[in-house]
Amino acid sequence: LAKTTQPISMDSYEGQEVNITCSHNNIATNDYITWYQQFPSQGPRFIIQGYKTKVTNEVASLFIPADRKSSTLSLPRVSLSDTAVYYCLVGEIEAAGNKLTFGGGTRVLVKP
Amino acid sequence: DSGVTQTPKHLITATGQRVTLRCSPRSGDLSVYWYQQSLDQGLQFLIQYYNGEERAKGNILERFSAQQFPDLHSELNLSSLELGDSALYFCASSVGGTARDTEAFFGQGTRLTVV
């Protein structure tokens, strides 16, 4: 069972880059790393997913070192609307399902 | 709009009662997940269905049950409700049901208040 650890909260300012690191020391060979964003009283929203090295899409980048024991979500030039909770997930392989388990998340506050 | 529809949006009921929450997944998605989110517990995985069959189970109470129907919509039944069951209940769907397939789409949730 791959457990994730991420900071409880982070503060930033508009226009800055925000980097959130997640530790997952027990990640299994077949596990993928996924990040979600959640605004208050809304369902989480998929941001990005990766297996190794670097993945980039229109909203974020995900950096995964060779040992895959951690990953870093990078949000470029954040705005006030990026204030949210960010969750790091590691896929759990079971015989026939995927628990898609969320940890505590990182509460990011973007200030003017 | 994620494409996942949950009804009702709000529900207020008394302790001891039973309620049913409904979820319609995105078109083409075979997998449905149910989550409970309360202030002190975060997002708790309850159960996952894939193409009508139960695939993974989390910390779902015995008083709770779920099913996925042939048309792929899902229902979460909560019975003998207690005050502590008050929470936001989210449904999510994804195309498949493996760990590779972790791009799930969440509905807006049903806010259940037990009084």
Side-chain angles (χ1 to χ4, degrees):
Chain A
L1 179 64
K3 178 179 159 53
T4 60
T5 303
Q6 48 183 128
I8 293 174
S9 64
M10 296 179 72
D11 287 358
S12 183
Y13 291 91
E14 282 189 290
Q16 289 191 336
E17 179 180 82
V18 170
N19 295 306
I20 309 171
T21 297
C22 177
S23 296
H24 28 78
N25 291 320
N26 296 328
I27 190 168
T29 303
N30 294 335
D31 286 346
Y32 280 75
I33 299 153
T34 312
W35 286 80
Y36 281 81
Q37 174 193 56
Q38 186 180 27
F39 299 113
S41 297
Q42 292 188 27
R45 185 176 71 108
F46 173 90
I47 300 175
I48 198 166
Q49 180 185 71
Y51 183 80
K52 60 181 178 181
T53 63
K54 177 183 174 183
V55 180
T56 298
N57 62 21
E58 63 276 7
V59 298
S61 294
L62 179 59
F63 300 91
I64 305 169
D67 66 4
R68 304 201 327 123
K69 293 184 185 299
S70 67
S71 59
T72 299
L73 175 72
S74 180
L75 306 172
R77 299 179 298 281
V78 294
S79 63
L80 297 178
S81 63
D82 292 317
T83 292
V85 178
Y86 293 82
Y87 295 95
C88 163
L89 280 69
V90 174
E92 296 181 34
I93 300 285
E94 291 202 343
N98 173 16
K99 284 189 174 181
L100 201 59
T101 302
F102 287 77
T106 297
R107 191 171 300 273
V108 172
L109 174 62
V110 180
K111 302 175 183 177
Chain B
D1 182 8
S2 67
V4 177
T5 304
Q6 288 187 249
T7 55
K9 286 188 171 50
H10 301 275
L11 196 50
I12 301 176
T13 190
T15 54
Q17 294 298 305
R18 172 189 169 94
V19 297
T20 298
L21 312 184
R22 183 186 168 99
C23 170
S24 294
R26 287 191 326 153
S27 177
D29 285 357
L30 299 179
S31 196
V32 168
Y33 308 80
W34 284 99
Y35 289 85
Q36 178 193 57
Q37 187 170 39
S38 51
L39 282 175
D40 59 346
Q41 292 290 328
L43 267 163
Q44 297 290 313
F45 169 78
L46 296 178
I47 199 164
Q48 178 210 359
Y49 280 83
Y50 177 77
N51 204 19
E53 294 186 1
E54 181 185 306
R55 292 294 287 265
K57 213 165 187 175
N59 298 322
I60 188 167
L61 300 172
E62 285 190 12
R63 301 184 285 109
F64 296 1
S65 64
Q67 55 184 328
Q68 186 179 27
F69 295 88
D71 66 353
L72 301 177
H73 91 271
S74 178
E75 292 181 355
L76 179 67
N77 300 297
L78 315 176
S79 61
S80 303
L81 285 168
E82 302 173 359
L83 296 178
D85 297 326
S86 296
L88 259 173
Y89 290 84
F90 288 108
C91 167
S93 73
S94 66
V95 173
T98 69
R100 171 64 178 91
D101 180 40
T102 47
E103 182 173 359
F105 295 83
F106 283 75
Q108 288 299 299
T110 293
R111 183 173 294 280
L112 173 66
T113 302
V114 183
V115 298

